[in-house]
């Protein structure tokens, strides 16, 4: 699917004409950014030519004399073009284009045009920008960036952060591309609308914004963006299952599936439903990632830029320096790593030491982990950040949230036994039947993330991290009520410190409540890339869990 | 073993009776296994572990092995197996990674015997050695296989697959020491039980997990595997590399495979998801299952043949909490409902069609036509005595429809291509020459077209009177009629003609119409054409029907219709059906009498007179009015389009080249390019390299022109040092020697160098030619027998 040849222009996908976020597609004047598609071209020449044309047009339209004129009237076209330039100057994977954009911006500023300025630094507010944009990034990573840039017209912040793990990124990217852009049962604009619905459930304004743009570009009706109530009934029917999958996937039953498939004229076909389900789970868990890594808004979206000059206070918004590891806890944290390593080794080596654990014991350990996860819920007093209406309008019943299913006294739903419905055997077979290519790609993605390791841990090298990774994976599944018969949940307790558990649970279940403090507080000695790795595990484990519940319901419906 | 087995067979044959029956289990089953004597079956699952006795009319619960108040996870079975040597011995694989053995001989309620907790992950499969009482093998999700001696507390040996999870392990039935293991990553490994350090062989069998495998009970080397990729494959392991000998494509991922006893090629499968049926396949007929059991309501998780030597009883357990005994007599056989048909084209255009005889003969309307050359062949499938099914479709008919080799020949194409002159002479001469060529090949219409073109495009002064006579001679009789047309009429007439022409490919009636109108004007010519080209003894039985169509189709051209009316039928021989679309199946089947598959040529011929009709009018008016050639451009363009549409791209391209700028602007670049490429492609298929190159050279399309400018470099190596020759001279940079020496005269070859592809010696073309006339050996003395062709 990916061919990488500078010369191969007009290659695989048709680049979307407008960068996302551009709303009124028709700009009366010549500065409609849709005209600069050439900038996303693979061919150096094309990019250069487009760039030159853009520059000429911009500068010619602006009298070089007085700044007064530029201020008075600003066409929306110019506004958008400026944002486009700013974005490209930050994130274009082609060096020379990036440079040209900055130059052009500078030139415009010299002529008295108010140019925008990036707000937050870098793609993530948790990770220092230097971590992400290392000079001379790996070849593989750059290639994927280019691929993403050429086919979607942007390298979004998620992609940038995931770029820390290029192997995963390529798999992720291919899956997302297939889901959104390739052939499938659902029309393209509906796919984006479903993405919006899913992201809105977690109040993820970043994803909502991103896909509102994409939705319009795919030819969606702007009316729908007024809110869920404006969307067709068929999509609104999806709301129920969206809600459940986002927060309490174990509640999904075959009746829900039936309700979608057999409702007369607004009914879904099975293939459509599968695609919708994959999209929903994908975006729920992607929202987790967005919050878990503190992804900044895109530069050209609301909140990502400002036309005002920076105020002196806000300039240190990079998270790099503050409360670094050098602080008081340095020594302790150091020890923590050592202790963790020691435990992992023990677990790996002498499994047999404590082999006289009764089954009841194991059972209780799982239950314990489940119930304990109740306690690791984050404190409620975190300020509920008021959300813009444009996100909330896609949410019905906003009060429905994650609820621990082992509440005292209530009848808990039966535990999902992982062995009875595994992804490899059952989930894959079902998806592959109804929506063939996606099964393969998801399977690959799960495998890549599950086996991803660099054999490093904080400052140590050559470490077998499999137990740790498995603990995280299984803990996420445990939080969603999936139990592995062959796993001793005591390990989770030994390997995952409390702060990490809090973080995992928060990000997996109510990502919108994640704070920077949580992020910095766990694993204080670990590298940022390792924390992103945790987030990837989280994302995929969460997605698999939700998918398994959904697919099991479909299987039950079908039999 | 062998002897014992026989005994039980005989015994089994007598004792095993029963019917299709089932019983409800309390919980979904994960696996089942039978006791050696075929009288009991054990069912295991997450919440069930029971032994049932198989009686004549029903299953009777014999024993519940799941005891204790709060059963532990050790009872949650992923797999169960009953020992084939010792009927008291069972083993289960638990989802929590424990391997448990059970001894039914124990007096206590709890029959649990031993517990092996060595695996770290779920154990997917357990397997007893077929002849060794105490040997048990297990394969687990953690990627390890372990061999246990039941007399010891721990495993005897551990085999590491060095890859992902083990999904199945099976002892070879005949090779004492061998077992096969299948993996989640698609591999199959063969191990020697004595060598735990390394597998003996490994090969990739499937794309995605291999869920199961089964050794053939009789054939030593056969291993069947089933995978998530929906395939069942049979491997021959006798050869050095495992060879795939059969492959069955199912509709869902394959969960279990089991060879059918006593039937060498039969195998039973059930699927992991979606599909609840059990299929029995004959691996030699992989497209349709030979038997199907459709009783289960949820996926089947375990299948087992009731007795080692009895092919008629199959037991199955399912997620729908039922245990079934299937009897072969009650199986549904999809083949009953199938209508096997086969269709194939031969190299020479013959078409063979085979179908069940009943199907063909039942269609009474389909009578053989006169020209039908059908050779029905009947064959009967000999019934295999070992097989229980009778194949219902015991006889089928095979019909072969032969194509007349002559009509398919493209001789005219080659000759035309060779003889046409496309450039280098004045236009008039080119046209005349090409017209003559076409005429010689009996392609009158084409010939006339050329003549016409000459008349249109060359100034009247240059037209020799002889030529004029030639073109006018035959049509002179009807000249007065033509004279009465005024200019406008001619134009519209031409327009309608060409419109008709273009639609002609699709419908036959118009074809006849053409003939008729042409006959009126140009009788002799037409008859000649028809006679030469079409064997007239083909008469269609359904002419009337066609005529009806004809009248319906023609209402837009009343003038022609009138002509049709006044025409006596005998004036033109009825033409046979032209099969203009050989790929249309039913068409061929019904009108199979047509020997002419290539409609192009015949149609071309039949059209000739039409063109002459227009020719006459035009030429006449030319003389009268001196119209500028531009006036005809649209008509010529339509003509070219018509030829191209007809498939005679040769004509289109030739005219295009000959007329050059006169017509080029009229036709859009892309169409031209398309014609050129098609023609060049055709030429190259006929290996007319020189002509194709000439066409490329003469073409005015940029895209075509550059075709013969690509890859014109020939890289050569120095004959001495075998390094690539970099510079342009004759001396190699490295060894400072002349590289291309003639093997005969030992001088440097400048110019044409010919060399043998066998020994790579060569030299001056002339020298080598001369040398090889007298000797067959290489002139360099290398001993190679060179050949100059």
């Amino acid at each position: 699917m990916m061919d990488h040849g500078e010369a191969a222009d007009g290659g695989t996908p048709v680049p979307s004409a407008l960068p996302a976020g551009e709303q009124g597609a028709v700009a009366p004047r010549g500065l409609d950014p849709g005209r600069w598609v050439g900038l996303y071209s693979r061919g150096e020449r094309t990019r250069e030519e487009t760039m030159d044309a853009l520059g000429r047009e911009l500068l010619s339209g602006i009298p070089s004399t007085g700044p007064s004129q530029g201020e008075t009237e600003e066409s929306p076209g110019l506004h958008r073009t400026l944002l486009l330039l700013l974005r490209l100057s930050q994130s274009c994977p082609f060096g020379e284009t990036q440079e040209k954009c900055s130059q052009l911006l500078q030139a415009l500023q010299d002529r008295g045009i108010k140019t925008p300025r990036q707000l937050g630094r870098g793609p993530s507010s948790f990770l220092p920008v230097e971590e992400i944009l290392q000079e001379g990034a790996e070849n593989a990573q750059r290639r994927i960036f280019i691929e993403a840039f050429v086919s979607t017209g942007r390298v979004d912040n998620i992609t940038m952060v995931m770029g820390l793990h290029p192997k995963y990124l390529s798999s992720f990217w291919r899956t997302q591309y297939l889901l959104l852009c390739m052939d499938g049962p659902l029309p393209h604009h509906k796919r984006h609308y479903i993405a919006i619905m899913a992201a809105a459930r977690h109040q993820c304004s970043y994803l909502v914004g991103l896909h509102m743009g994409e939705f319009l570009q795919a030819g969606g009706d702007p009316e729908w963006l007024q809110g869920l109530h404006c969307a067709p009934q068929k999509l609104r029917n999806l709301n129920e299952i969206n809600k459940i999958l986002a927060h309490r996937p174990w509640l999904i039953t075959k009746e829900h599936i039936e309700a979608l498939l057999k409702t007369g004229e607004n009914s879904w076909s099975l293939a459509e439903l599968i695609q919708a389900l994959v999209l929903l789970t994908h975006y729920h868990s992607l929202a987790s990632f967005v919050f878990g890594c503190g992804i900044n808004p895109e530069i050209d979206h609301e909140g990502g830029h400002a036309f005002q000059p920076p105020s002196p206070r806000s300039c240190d918004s990079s998270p790099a320096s503050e409360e670094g590891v050098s602080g008081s806890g340095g020594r302790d944290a150091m020890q923590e790593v050592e202790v963790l390593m020691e435990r992992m080794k023990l677990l790996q080596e002498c499994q047999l030491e404590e082999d006289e654990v009764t089954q009841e014991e194991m059972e209780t350990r799982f239950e314990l982990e489940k119930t304990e996860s109740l306690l690791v819920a984050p404190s409620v007093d975190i300020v509920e950040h008021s959300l813009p209406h444009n996100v909330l309008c896609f949410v019905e019943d906003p009060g429905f949230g994650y609820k621990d299913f082992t509440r005292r006294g209530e009848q808990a739903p039966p535990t999902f036994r992982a062995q009875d419905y595994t992804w490899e055997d059952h989930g894959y077979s079902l998806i592959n039947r109804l929506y063939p290519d996606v099964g393969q790609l998801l399977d690959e993605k799960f495998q890549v993330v599950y086996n991803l390791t660099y054999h490093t841990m904080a400052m140590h090298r050559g470490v077998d991290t499999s137990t740790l990774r498995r603990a995280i994976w299984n803990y996420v599944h445990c939080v969603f009520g999936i139990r592995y018969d062959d796993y001793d949940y005591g390990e989770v307790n030994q390997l995952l410190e409390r702060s990490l558990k809090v973080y995992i649970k928060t990000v997996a279940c109510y990502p919108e409540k994640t704070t920077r403090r949580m992020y910095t507080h766990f694993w204080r000695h670990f590298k940022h890339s390792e924390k992103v790795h945790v987030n990837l595990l989280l994302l995929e484990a969460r997605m698999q869990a939700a998918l398994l519940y959904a697919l099991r319901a479909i299987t039950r419906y079908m039999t | 073993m062998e002897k014992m087995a026989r005994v039980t067979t005989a015994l089994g044959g007598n004792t095993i009776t029963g019917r299709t029956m089932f019983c409800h289990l309390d919980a979904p089953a994960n696996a089942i296994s039978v006791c050696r004597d075929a009288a009991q079956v054990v069912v295991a699952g997450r919440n069930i572990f029971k032994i049932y006795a198989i009686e004549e009319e029903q299953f009777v619960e014999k024993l519940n092995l799941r005891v204790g108040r709060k059963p532990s996870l050790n009872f949650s079975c992923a797999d169960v197996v009953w020992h084939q040597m010792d009927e008291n011995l069972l083993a289960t694989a638990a989802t929590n990674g424990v391997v448990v053995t059970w001894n039914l001989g124990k007096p206590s309620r709890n029959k649990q015997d031993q517990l092996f907790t060595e695996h770290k992950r779920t154990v997917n499969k357990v397997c007893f050695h077929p002849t060794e009482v105490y040997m048990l093998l297990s394969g687990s999700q953690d990627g390890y296989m372990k061999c246990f001696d039941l007399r010891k507390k721990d495993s005897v040996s551990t085999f590491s697959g060095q890859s992902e999870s083990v999904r199945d392990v099976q002892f070879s039935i005949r090779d004492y020491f061998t077992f096969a293991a299948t993996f989640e990553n698609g591999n199959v490994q063969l191990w020697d039980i004595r060598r735990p350090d390394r597998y003996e062989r490994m090969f990739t069998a499937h794309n995605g997990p291999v869920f199961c495998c089964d050794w053939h009970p009789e054939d030593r080397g056969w291993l069947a595997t089933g995978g998530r990729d929906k395939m069942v494959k049979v491997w021959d392991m006798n050869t050095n590399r495992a060879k795939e000998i059969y492959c069955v494509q199912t509709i869902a991922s394959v969960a279990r495979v089991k060879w059918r006893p006593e039937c060498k090629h039969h195998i039973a499968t059930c699927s992991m998801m979606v599909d609840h049926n059990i299929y029995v396949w004959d691996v030699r007929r992989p497209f349709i299952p030979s038997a199907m059991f459709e009783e289960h309501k949820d996926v089947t998780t375990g299948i087992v043949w009731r007795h080692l030597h009895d092919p008629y009883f199959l037991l199955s357990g399912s997620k729908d909490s039922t245990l079934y005994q299937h009897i072969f007599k009650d199986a549904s056989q999809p083949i009953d409902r199938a209508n096997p048909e086969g269709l194939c084209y031969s190299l020479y255009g013959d078409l063979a069609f085979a179908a069940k005889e009943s199907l063909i003969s039942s269609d009474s309307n389909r009578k053989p036509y006169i020209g039908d050359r059908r050779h029905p062949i009947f064959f009967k499938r000999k019934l295999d005595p070992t097989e229980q099914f009778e194949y219902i479709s015991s006889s089928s008919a095979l019909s072969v429809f032969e194509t007349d080799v002559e009509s398919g020949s493209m001789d005219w194409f080659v000759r035309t291509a060779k003889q046409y002159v496309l450039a280098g002479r004045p236009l008039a001469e080119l046209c005349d020459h090409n017209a003559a060529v076409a005429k010689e090949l009996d392609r009158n219409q084409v010939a006339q077209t050329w003549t016409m073109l000459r008349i249109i495009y060359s100034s009247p002064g240059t037209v020799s009177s002889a030529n004029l006579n030639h073109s006018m001679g035959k049509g002179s009789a009807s000249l007065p009629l033509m004279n009465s047309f005024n200019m406008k009429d001619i134009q519209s007439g031409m327009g309608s003609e060409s419109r008709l022409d273009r639609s002609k490919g699709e419908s036959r009636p118009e074809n006849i119409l053409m003939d008729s109108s042409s006959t009126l004007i140009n009788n002799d010519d037409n008859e000649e054409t028809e006679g030469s080209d079409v064997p007239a003894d083909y008469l269609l039985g359904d002419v009337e029907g066609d005529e009806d169509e004809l009248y319906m189709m023609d209402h837009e051209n009343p003038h022609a219709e009138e002509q049709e009316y006044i025409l006596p039928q005998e004036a033109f021989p009825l033409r046979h059906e032209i099969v203009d679309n050989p790929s249309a199946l039913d068409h061929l089947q019904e009108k199979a009498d047509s020997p002419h598959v290539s409609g192009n040529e015949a149609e071309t011929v039949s059209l000739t007179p039409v063109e002459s009709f227009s020719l006459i009018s035009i030429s006449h008016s030319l003389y009268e009015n001196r119209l500028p050639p531009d006036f005809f451009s649209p008509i010529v363009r339509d003509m070219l389009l018509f030829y191209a549409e007809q498939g005679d791209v040769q004509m289109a391209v030739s005219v295009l080249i000959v007329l050059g700028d006169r017509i080029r602007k009229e036709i859009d670049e892309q169409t031209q390019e398309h014609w050129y490429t098609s023609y060049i492609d055709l030429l190259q298929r006929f290996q007319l390299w020189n002509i194709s190159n000439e066409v490329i050279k003469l073409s005015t399309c940029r895209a075509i022109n550059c075709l013969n400018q690509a890859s014109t470099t020939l890289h050569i190596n120095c004959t001495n040092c075998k390094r690539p020759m970099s510079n342009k001279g004759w001396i190699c940079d490295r060894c400072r020697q002349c590289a291309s020496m003639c093997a005969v005269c030992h001088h440097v070859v400048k110019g044409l160098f010919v060399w043998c592809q066998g020994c790579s010696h060569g030299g001056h073309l002339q020298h080598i030619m001369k040398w090889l006339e007298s000797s067959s050996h290489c002139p360099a003395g290398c001993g190679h027998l060179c050949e100059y062709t």
Side-chain angles (χ1 to χ4, degrees), chain A residues 57-81:
Chain A
E57 188 148 341
L58 264 183
L59 294 176
S60 72
I62 288 145
S64 52
T65 47
S68 55
Q69 212 161 3
E71 258 172 60
T72 48
E73 205 194 340
E74 212 175 61
S75 76
L78 175 65
H79 182 89
R80 289 203 300 268
T81 309

Side-chain angles (χ1 to χ4, degrees), chain A residues 45-65:
Chain A
R45 175 88 63 77
T46 324
R47 285 200 311 272
E48 212 165 285
E49 279 164 7
T50 322
M51 196 69 227
D52 288 346
L54 171 60
R56 267 199 309 280
E57 188 148 341
L58 264 183
L59 294 176
S60 72
I62 288 145
S64 52
T65 47

Side-chain angles (χ1 to χ4, degrees), chain A residues 348 351-352 355 359-360 363 417 419-421 423-426 428-430 432-433 440 443 447 450 470 483-486 555 558-559, chain B residues 46 70 72-74 76 95-97 117 120-122 141 164 167 184 207 209 211 228 230 251-253 272-274 276 297-298 319:
Chain A
Q348 259 151 15
Q351 205 93 26
L352 301 170
D355 59 352
Q359 297 307 314
E360 288 74 23
E363 188 95 33
R417 301 298 189 130
Q419 272 86 354
D420 288 356
Y421 201 96
W423 163 256
E424 286 81 11
D425 299 1
H426 307 91
Y428 174 91
S429 301
L430 183 65
N432 213 33
R433 187 181 173 86
Q440 193 63 42
D443 194 39
Q447 265 181 33
Y450 197 82
R470 191 166 167 220
R483 179 181 172 192
Y484 288 85
D485 285 346
D486 54 358
T555 310
M558 284 167 73
T559 53
Chain B
R46 175 172 291 281
K70 199 173 183 240
S72 77
L73 274 178
N74 293 347
S76 162
T95 47
N96 62 351
T117 50
K120 287 179 196 157
R121 306 280 307 268
T122 301
Q141 197 76 14
E164 289 171 76
R167 297 310 297 251
E184 207 147 85
N207 184 9
F211 287 137
R228 195 174 70 179
K230 308 177 188 170
I251 55 165
S253 42
M272 181 70 87
M273 276 295 286
V274 191
H276 312 155
K297 306 267 186 311
D298 199 340
K319 278 252 161 86

Side-chain angles (χ1 to χ4, degrees), chain B residues 524-545:
Chain B
D524 306 353
D525 194 18
N526 191 35
E527 237 159 36
E528 190 184 303
T529 317
E530 297 287 277
S532 69
D533 193 56
V534 182
D537 53 347
Y538 283 96
L539 271 169
L540 263 185
D542 50 354
V543 165
E544 289 83 9

